[in-house]
Amino acid sequence: MKKTAVPATLDDHQIGLEARVADADHQALKVWLRLLACSTQIETEIRRRLRREFGMTLARFDYLAQLHRHPDGLRMSALSRYLMVTGGNVTALTDDLSAEGLVRRETDAEDRRSFRVALTPAGRRAFERVAQAHEAWVVELFAGLGATDKHLLHELLGRLRLHLAQPTPPETA
């Protein structure tokens, strides 16, 4: 793998969301925009690589990842909640992946009105191949940070998530 020089600053094309920041802005706003910019940049690159290397969308990858985490399958309604998409989106992906032999859809034994979806053995193998590449890409994208920095960033973002999970006080009219 060829190493490229890390730029000291971002040019106008690369700056994106952080272009909104001014020196006088609150530090929280600066952090939020930088976090959003990094997340967007990483997601864009992952989407590009999935499409180029596997002809796959990120939505399809996320769908397969959820089923991989649940070997016994999931009800389609639960899969929709995990993916934070509509039932129609899950149905369309399920139809496509079922036609390709990557997932199987069965009537749920506990609720005959529901369908349960699970990976087929071929789907599991296909996902694991893509997931291995995906992990390598994420490792590569974070290679600019040392192990200590990655640990600290993980810790800080974890603390932020805990804070955000706290109930918010009711609004006063």
Side-chain angles (χ1 to χ4, degrees):
M1 181 177 352
K2 183 175 90 171
K3 283 281 191 182
T4 57
V6 177
T9 60
L10 299 174
D11 64 27
D12 288 344
H13 174 72
Q14 297 168 315
I15 193 76
L17 295 167
E18 286 191 84
R20 303 178 195 171
V21 174
D23 288 339
D25 286 338
H26 195 283
Q27 188 65 33
L29 180 62
K30 292 177 184 180
V31 170
W32 177 67
L33 288 172
R34 179 155 295 167
L35 183 61
L36 188 57
C38 287
S39 178
T40 299
Q41 196 170 351
I42 291 166
E43 183 178 325
T44 298
E45 182 61 17
I46 294 295
R47 283 179 189 278
R48 187 184 70 74
R49 291 181 186 197
L50 280 170
R51 195 172 32 258
R52 183 188 70 214
E53 301 294 325
F54 298 100
M56 179 180 285
T57 63
L58 185 56
R60 184 178 276 224
F61 178 83
D62 290 342
Y63 176 109
L64 294 171
Q66 286 300 328
L67 290 181
H68 190 266
R69 288 184 193 101
H70 297 89
D72 294 331
L74 288 169
R75 284 187 182 155
M76 288 182 63
S77 58
L79 184 55
S80 177
R81 281 192 311 275
Y82 281 129
L83 295 172
M84 297 182 285
V85 298
T86 67
N89 290 16
V90 169
T91 299
L93 277 170
T94 301
D95 290 346
D96 291 347
L97 293 167
S98 179
E100 293 175 31
L102 300 177
V103 301
R104 69 179 188 282
R105 178 186 344 198
E106 300 169 343
T107 302
D108 191 317
E110 296 172 17
D111 181 356
R112 292 273 193 220
R113 298 167 298 163
S114 298
F115 289 102
R116 183 171 285 276
V117 189
L119 289 175
T120 63
R124 183 165 295 284
R125 286 189 303 274
F127 173 76
E128 288 171 354
R129 193 178 80 252
V130 176
Q132 187 175 17
H134 177 273
E135 182 178 357
W137 297 336
V138 172
V139 168
E140 176 191 336
L141 292 169
F142 278 85
L145 297 176
T148 301
D149 289 338
K150 284 184 268 203
H151 180 76
L152 178 60
L153 182 57
H154 184 259
E155 176 69 27
L156 292 171
L157 291 173
R159 290 192 346 223
L160 177 60
R161 291 225 41 214
L162 289 175
H163 169 74
L164 295 173
Q166 299 300 311
T168 56
E171 290 185 31
T172 56

